[in-house]
Amino acid sequence: MLLVALSPTEATVIASGRIYDPRYRPRPGSTLDQAETEEEIEEALAQVRASRRLDINARGRDWRGIRERPGLLVANYNDMPVFIGVAWCTLLSRSGYVGLARVRLKPWRPFKNQVAVSTILDELNDGRTSANITRILKDWETRELPPEVNRRLQDALFDHAGNFDEALADVSASAQPARARRAVDQSELPALDASQSALRFFSRDWPQLTPVDDLGPLPSIAEEIDAAFRMSEDDHIDDDASAFLDWQQTPRTVAGWFEFREGARRLLVKNINVSTAEARTGADLVYVRRDPDAVVLVQYKLLDQGTGDPYFRDSGGRLASQVARMQKYANPATTQSADEPDYRLGRDIGYVKFIVPTTARATSALDLRPEGRYHPAGSVERLLRTPDKGPKGGKVYYTRNWRYINGETFAQLVRDRWIGTCEDTTDQLLEVIGLISSGRRTCVAVDVPV
């Protein structure tokens, strides 16, 4: 992410959507002209921010490799630097002056709460991070933030800006090139959700991740996973990695693995089909984190819409059987590790996400965000004991009344290792892989230090 230093005039446009002029009158009949209340005026200005661009002259030392980036916007109010919003930044051209470039901000989104830079630096209490940010702001330049500084800064802004995640996702999504929208095949949703979840568990800034070209040597755990999926000579294993979400496999892809990086960690992901002759009835995600270790398994189940509330029908008791097997590998209640990094909130390592069907149309695999709720396997095991009556008879489960964990909270629990296995995971991981049913497309993600 870029740190973009704005002039006072540019900051005013970003924050308010216009420059105040007592002589200005909106075009008769326009949305802004018809707005009367403060809420209507703000809504009209939001439409302005969404449709207009702001081209700025940005000062910077090194523009190599910078074409398009999300940008964190900082203004200077009475010699007090303040974070005021985010924008999608596109380098238009280098000027005739050294260190100066023309940069377009479109779209941009202001924060609900402007945040003083000093507030963030005091909270971070990190000399190196503070020195990096202070050095950039001293010269009032537009610079790319180092990965670790970027991560820590985003975590802090998430707590203070009021709408940081939403604003960043909004400008990133709006900036993508227009592509033909297509109807979503409902059967694709579980596999799509599993792949997106792998990135979301790895990074809060997951919509900005792209695969690296210089994929390094596979970690030993990735090689062990490859071997574990080849359970017998009769099983046909297909490394279904010609594409992952919107990305195509490159000659540098190693054994079908795609690699993403953030800060001091790398994420390797691949899709694997076991016994592909069978129907693909869903998708699983095995998320492995090393140093410190944790393994989380998620199964994705698509609800039936019907004419009323969505419901789940456990045909043949398949989910009940899968959940029971997952529970065999739950953390024993009596063996919580004495080490704090290995502490977990509960015993479950397996979770089920029920996905709501959608009629939305999407331009890409990253454009659609499947809606659903996460449930611990232990909770699902109990809830399956009391089915409801279906709209046409038979046993179904209306999950709307079940307690659940929302998507962002669940991702944070995985990232911070509040859930998952709590001791050395290698042997247990290979056993967990045995839970994957043949005929399923499985997304495997390995999160390791660089």
Side-chain angles (χ1 to χ4, degrees):
M1 175 178 282
L2 296 174
L3 186 63
V4 182
L6 301 175
S7 71
T9 300
E10 293 161 352
T12 300
V13 173
I14 293 295
S16 63
R18 58 179 174 174
I19 299 294
Y20 177 72
D21 182 348
R23 298 168 299 174
Y24 169 76
R25 295 292 182 273
R27 179 173 56 82
S30 66
T31 303
L32 189 57
D33 179 53
Q34 297 176 353
E36 298 180 354
T37 66
E38 291 186 5
E39 290 78 8
E40 291 173 343
I41 293 173
E42 176 55 34
E43 183 177 347
L45 291 175
Q47 295 178 15
V48 171
R49 291 191 288 267
S51 61
R52 292 186 179 176
R53 62 178 185 262
L54 178 63
D55 294 345
I56 66 173
N57 288 316
R59 177 185 177 186
R61 299 184 187 182
D62 188 0
W63 295 101
R64 290 175 299 178
I66 296 178
R67 180 65 180 90
E68 291 184 310
R69 294 280 196 285
L72 177 60
L73 309 179
V74 59
N76 195 336
Y77 296 145
N78 298 320
D79 294 326
M80 184 177 72
V82 177
F83 296 117
I84 65 171
V86 291
W88 189 262
C89 307
T90 303
L91 178 64
L92 299 179
S93 63
R94 300 286 297 276
S95 74
Y97 299 94
V98 175
L100 194 65
R102 194 72 171 162
V103 176
R104 173 164 295 169
L105 309 182
K106 181 185 180 181
W108 73 78
R109 298 291 182 270
F111 293 148
K112 290 181 179 178
N113 308 316
Q114 296 185 352
V115 185
V117 173
S118 59
T119 299
I120 300 298
L121 298 186
D122 290 343
E123 181 175 301
L124 292 178
N125 192 26
D126 182 311
R128 179 176 297 182
T129 300
S130 298
N132 270 289
I133 296 174
T134 302
R135 184 167 55 252
I136 296 172
L137 293 179
K138 180 181 179 181
D139 296 326
W140 207 243
E141 292 183 339
T142 292
R143 295 272 294 278
E144 188 157 23
L145 292 167
E148 184 61 21
V149 174
N150 180 38
R151 183 189 66 79
R152 298 204 64 194
L153 192 54
Q154 289 196 35
D155 285 346
L157 286 170
F158 175 78
D159 295 329
H160 290 277
N163 64 331
F164 178 78
D165 276 12
E166 297 89 339
L168 181 60
D170 194 16
V171 299
S172 300
S174 300
Q176 301 307 312
R179 286 175 283 189
R181 291 181 176 268
R182 64 180 180 84
V184 176
D185 184 343
Q186 300 298 310
S187 64
E188 295 177 1
L189 287 178
L192 171 65
D193 205 352
S195 297
Q196 284 191 5
S197 296
L199 299 183
R200 172 174 280 186
F201 296 168
F202 179 63
S203 169
R204 175 177 286 152
D205 197 22
W206 67 273
Q208 311 309 319
L209 294 175
T210 56
V212 301
D213 291 329
D214 56 335
L215 188 140
L218 288 181
S220 59
I221 187 64
E223 295 177 343
E224 292 182 61
I225 289 172
D226 277 338
F229 269 102
R230 290 164 173 81
M231 291 171 284
S232 76
E233 294 180 357
D234 295 331
D235 280 332
H236 171 64
I237 307 298
D238 173 26
D239 291 339
D240 186 22
S242 59
F244 177 76
L245 293 175
D246 290 333
W247 299 292
Q248 297 297 316
Q249 183 174 342
T250 69
R252 295 190 180 187
T253 304
V254 178
W257 293 91
F258 285 73
E259 180 174 343
F260 301 81
R261 292 180 192 166
E262 182 179 77
R265 299 195 69 85
R266 57 195 293 230
L267 178 74
L268 294 103
V269 292
K270 73 184 299 185
N271 291 319
I272 299 177
N273 290 329
V274 182
S275 298
T276 54
E278 299 184 28
R280 296 182 185 178
T281 57
D284 287 331
L285 169 63
V286 177
Y287 194 89
V288 185
R289 184 184 171 98
R290 301 307 304 268
D291 300 322
D293 290 357
V295 176
V296 175
L297 174 64
V298 185
Q299 293 198 354
Y300 295 81
K301 300 295 183 182
L302 183 64
L303 297 174
D304 291 316
Q305 181 60 64
T307 56
D309 291 323
Y311 59 87
F312 178 73
R313 190 186 300 275
D314 189 18
S315 301
R318 181 178 178 84
L319 177 58
S321 175
Q322 291 169 337
V323 166
R325 283 185 286 160
M326 281 197 290
Q327 286 300 90
K328 291 182 180 179
Y329 296 93
N331 295 315
T334 57
T335 60
Q336 273 280 19
S337 173
D339 297 329
E340 195 285 328
D342 285 332
Y343 179 80
R344 302 292 180 261
L345 292 178
R347 300 180 56 226
D348 292 280
I349 69 165
Y351 294 81
V352 180
K353 182 179 181 181
F354 293 100
I355 305 171
V356 178
T358 179
T359 57
R361 301 175 68 84
T363 60
S364 72
L366 290 173
D367 185 38
L368 185 70
R369 308 291 167 83
E371 177 187 350
R373 299 172 170 183
Y374 290 88
H375 305 265
S379 173
V380 174
E381 184 179 43
R382 290 163 176 77
L383 290 166
L384 290 178
R385 299 170 186 169
T386 54
D388 302 304
K389 184 177 180 180
K392 297 181 179 180
K395 297 179 180 179
V396 301
Y397 301 89
Y398 289 99
T399 63
R400 69 184 185 281
N401 295 324
W402 295 3
R403 290 188 299 164
Y404 66 94
I405 306 172
N406 66 42
E408 186 51 45
T409 299
F410 187 79
Q412 190 69 43
L413 291 173
V414 175
R415 282 195 293 266
D416 292 343
R417 305 180 317 283
W418 287 111
I419 59 178
T421 55
C422 60
E423 293 180 352
D424 179 49
T425 61
T426 302
D427 292 339
Q428 191 170 23
L429 167 64
L430 302 183
E431 290 186 83
V432 166
I433 287 176
L435 297 176
I436 306 301
S437 302
S438 62
R440 298 182 68 84
R441 174 175 169 176
T442 302
C443 180
V444 182
V446 178
D447 177 352
V448 296
V450 172

